Coordinates of all heavy atoms in Angstrom, one line a residue:
V1 N -236.6 31.6 -107.7 CA -235.3 31.1 -107.9 C -234.4 32.2 -108.6 O -233.2 32.4 -108.2 CB -235.3 29.8 -108.8 CG1 -233.9 29.4 -109.2 CG2 -236.0 28.7 -108.0
D2 N -234.9 32.9 -109.6 CA -234.2 33.9 -110.2 C -233.8 35.0 -109.2 O -232.6 35.5 -109.2 CB -235.0 34.6 -111.4 CG -235.2 33.6 -112.6 OD1 -234.5 32.6 -112.6 OD2 -236.0 34.0 -113.4
R3 N -234.7 35.4 -108.4 CA -234.5 36.5 -107.4 C -233.4 36.0 -106.4 O -232.5 36.8 -106.1 CB -235.8 36.9 -106.7 CG -235.6 38.0 -105.7 CD -237.0 38.5 -105.3 NE -236.8 39.5 -104.3 CZ -236.9 39.3 -102.9 NH1 -237.1 38.1 -102.5 NH2 -236.7 40.3 -102.1
Y4 N -233.6 34.9 -105.8 CA -232.7 34.4 -104.8 C -231.3 34.2 -105.3 O -230.3 34.5 -104.6 CB -233.2 33.2 -104.1 CG -234.5 33.4 -103.3 CD1 -235.4 32.4 -103.1 CD2 -234.7 34.6 -102.6 CE1 -236.6 32.6 -102.4 CE2 -235.9 34.8 -101.9 CZ -236.8 33.8 -101.8 OH -237.9 34.0 -101.0
T5 N -231.1 33.6 -106.5 CA -229.8 33.4 -107.0 C -229.1 34.8 -107.4 O -227.9 34.9 -107.2 CB -229.8 32.5 -108.3 OG1 -230.8 33.1 -109.2 CG2 -230.2 31.1 -107.9
A6 N -229.9 35.8 -107.8 CA -229.4 37.1 -108.1 C -228.9 37.8 -106.8 O -228.0 38.6 -106.8 CB -230.4 38.0 -108.8
M7 N -229.5 37.4 -105.7 CA -229.1 37.9 -104.4 C -227.8 37.2 -103.8 O -227.3 37.6 -102.8 CB -230.2 37.8 -103.4 CG -231.4 38.6 -103.7 SD -232.9 38.2 -102.7 CE -232.4 38.8 -101.1
G8 N -227.4 36.2 -104.5 CA -226.1 35.5 -104.1 C -226.3 34.2 -103.4 O -225.4 33.7 -102.7
Y9 N -227.5 33.6 -103.5 CA -227.8 32.3 -102.8 C -227.7 31.1 -103.7 O -228.2 31.1 -104.8 CB -229.1 32.4 -102.1 CG -229.2 33.4 -101.0 CD1 -229.8 34.6 -101.2 CD2 -228.7 33.1 -99.7 CE1 -229.9 35.5 -100.1 CE2 -228.8 34.0 -98.7 CZ -229.4 35.2 -98.9 OH -229.5 36.1 -97.8
T10 N -227.2 30.0 -103.1 CA -227.4 28.7 -103.7 C -228.8 28.2 -103.4 O -229.3 28.5 -102.3 CB -226.3 27.7 -103.1 OG1 -225.0 28.1 -103.5 CG2 -226.6 26.3 -103.5
M11 N -229.4 27.5 -104.3 CA -230.7 27.0 -104.1 C -230.7 25.6 -103.6 O -229.9 24.7 -104.2 CB -231.5 27.1 -105.4 CG -231.7 28.5 -105.9 SD -232.3 29.7 -104.7 CE -233.9 29.0 -104.3
V12 N -231.5 25.3 -102.6 CA -231.4 24.0 -102.0 C -232.9 23.6 -101.8 O -233.4 23.5 -100.6 CB -230.7 24.1 -100.6 CG1 -230.4 22.7 -100.0 CG2 -229.4 24.9 -100.8
C13 N -233.6 23.3 -102.9 CA -235.0 23.2 -102.8 C -235.5 21.7 -102.7 O -234.9 20.8 -103.2 CB -235.6 23.8 -104.1 SG -235.3 25.5 -104.3
H14 N -236.6 21.6 -102.0 CA -237.3 20.3 -101.8 C -238.0 19.8 -103.0 O -238.9 20.5 -103.5 CB -238.2 20.4 -100.6 CG -239.1 19.3 -100.4 ND1 -239.1 18.5 -99.2 CD2 -240.2 18.7 -101.1 CE1 -240.0 17.5 -99.3 NE2 -240.7 17.7 -100.4
G15 N -237.7 18.6 -103.5 CA -238.4 18.0 -104.6 C -238.3 16.5 -104.5 O -237.2 16.0 -104.5
I16 N -239.4 15.8 -104.3 CA -239.4 14.4 -104.2 C -240.0 13.7 -105.4 O -239.4 12.8 -106.0 CB -240.2 13.9 -102.9 CG1 -239.4 14.3 -101.7 CG2 -240.4 12.4 -102.9 CD1 -240.0 13.9 -100.4
G17 N -241.2 14.1 -105.8 CA -241.9 13.5 -107.0 C -241.2 13.9 -108.3 O -240.6 15.0 -108.4
D18 N -241.4 13.1 -109.3 CA -240.7 13.4 -110.6 C -241.2 14.6 -111.3 O -240.5 15.4 -111.9 CB -240.8 12.2 -111.6 CG -242.2 11.6 -111.8 OD1 -243.1 12.2 -111.2 OD2 -242.3 10.6 -112.5
A19 N -242.5 15.0 -111.0 CA -243.0 16.2 -111.6 C -242.4 17.4 -110.9 O -242.0 18.4 -111.5 CB -244.5 16.3 -111.5
A20 N -242.2 17.3 -109.6 CA -241.6 18.4 -108.8 C -240.1 18.6 -109.2 O -239.6 19.7 -109.3 CB -241.7 18.2 -107.3
I21 N -239.5 17.4 -109.4 CA -238.0 17.5 -109.7 C -237.9 18.1 -111.1 O -237.0 19.0 -111.3 CB -237.4 16.1 -109.7 CG1 -237.4 15.6 -108.2 CG2 -236.0 16.1 -110.2 CD1 -237.1 14.1 -108.1
D22 N -238.7 17.7 -112.0 CA -238.7 18.3 -113.4 C -238.9 19.8 -113.3 O -238.2 20.6 -114.0 CB -239.8 17.7 -114.3 CG -239.9 18.4 -115.6 OD1 -238.9 18.2 -116.4 OD2 -240.8 19.1 -115.8
Q23 N -239.8 20.3 -112.5 CA -240.0 21.7 -112.3 C -238.8 22.4 -111.8 O -238.4 23.5 -112.3 CB -241.2 22.0 -111.4 CG -241.6 23.4 -111.2 CD -242.7 23.7 -110.2 OE1 -242.6 23.1 -109.1 NE2 -243.6 24.5 -110.4
L24 N -238.1 21.8 -110.8 CA -236.9 22.4 -110.2 C -235.8 22.4 -111.2 O -235.0 23.4 -111.3 CB -236.5 21.6 -109.0 CG -237.2 22.0 -107.7 CD1 -236.8 21.1 -106.5 CD2 -236.8 23.5 -107.3
V25 N -235.6 21.3 -112.0 CA -234.6 21.3 -113.0 C -234.8 22.4 -114.0 O -233.8 23.1 -114.4 CB -234.5 19.9 -113.7 CG1 -233.6 19.9 -114.9 CG2 -234.1 18.8 -112.7
R26 N -236.0 22.6 -114.4 CA -236.3 23.7 -115.3 C -236.0 25.1 -114.7 O -235.4 25.9 -115.4 CB -237.8 23.7 -115.8 CG -238.0 22.5 -116.8 CD -239.5 22.5 -117.3 NE -240.4 22.1 -116.3 CZ -241.4 22.8 -115.9 NH1 -241.6 24.0 -116.3 NH2 -242.3 22.3 -115.0
A27 N -236.2 25.2 -113.5 CA -235.9 26.5 -112.8 C -234.4 26.7 -112.8 O -233.9 27.8 -113.0 CB -236.5 26.5 -111.4
Y28 N -233.7 25.6 -112.4 CA -232.2 25.7 -112.3 C -231.6 25.9 -113.7 O -230.5 26.5 -113.9 CB -231.6 24.5 -111.6 CG -232.0 24.4 -110.1 CD1 -231.7 23.2 -109.5 CD2 -232.6 25.4 -109.4 CE1 -232.0 23.0 -108.1 CE2 -232.9 25.2 -108.1 CZ -232.6 24.0 -107.4 OH -232.9 23.9 -106.1
E29 N -232.1 25.2 -114.7 CA -231.6 25.3 -116.1 C -231.7 26.8 -116.5 O -230.8 27.3 -117.3 CB -232.4 24.4 -117.0 CG -232.1 22.9 -116.9 CD -233.0 22.0 -117.7 OE1 -234.1 22.4 -118.0 OE2 -232.5 20.9 -118.1
R30 N -232.8 27.5 -116.2 CA -232.9 28.9 -116.5 C -231.7 29.7 -115.9 O -231.2 30.6 -116.6 CB -234.2 29.5 -116.0 CG -235.5 29.0 -116.7 CD -236.7 29.4 -115.9 NE -236.7 30.7 -115.3 CZ -237.1 31.8 -115.9 NH1 -237.7 31.7 -117.1 NH2 -237.1 33.0 -115.3
V31 N -231.4 29.4 -114.7 CA -230.3 30.1 -114.0 C -229.0 29.8 -114.7 O -228.2 30.8 -115.0 CB -230.2 29.7 -112.5 CG1 -229.0 30.3 -111.9 CG2 -231.5 30.2 -111.8
R32 N -228.8 28.6 -115.1 CA -227.5 28.2 -115.8 C -227.5 28.9 -117.2 O -226.4 29.3 -117.6 CB -227.4 26.7 -115.9 CG -226.2 26.2 -116.7 CD -224.9 26.5 -115.9 NE -224.8 25.7 -114.7 CZ -223.8 25.9 -113.8 NH1 -222.8 26.9 -114.1 NH2 -223.7 25.2 -112.7
A33 N -228.6 28.9 -117.9 CA -228.6 29.5 -119.2 C -228.3 31.0 -119.1 O -227.6 31.6 -120.0 CB -230.0 29.3 -119.9
A34 N -228.8 31.7 -118.1 CA -228.6 33.1 -117.9 C -227.2 33.4 -117.5 O -226.7 34.5 -117.8 CB -229.6 33.7 -116.9
N35 N -226.6 32.5 -116.8 CA -225.2 32.7 -116.3 C -224.5 31.4 -116.4 O -224.3 30.7 -115.4 CB -225.2 33.3 -114.9 CG -223.8 33.5 -114.4 OD1 -222.8 33.5 -115.1 ND2 -223.7 33.9 -113.1

């Protein structure tokens, strides 16, 4: 996620279960915190 966003991409990731969604939210929160 860090690499692809640095390359200029929006992330459009598959997440259905609550554990997977939590993992994605944490990944996206890192991107928001950095920028």
Side-chain angles (χ1 to χ4, degrees):
V1 170
D2 289 350
R3 179 169 178 265
Y4 292 150
T5 53
M7 293 169 71
Y9 291 102
T10 294
M11 300 308 300
V12 191
C13 297
H14 169 115
I16 290 181
D18 50 4
I21 294 168
D22 173 73
Q23 185 189 42
L24 276 174
V25 171
R26 286 185 284 119
Y28 293 169
E29 285 173 333
R30 285 166 45 89
V31 173
R32 179 65 69 185
N35 182 8

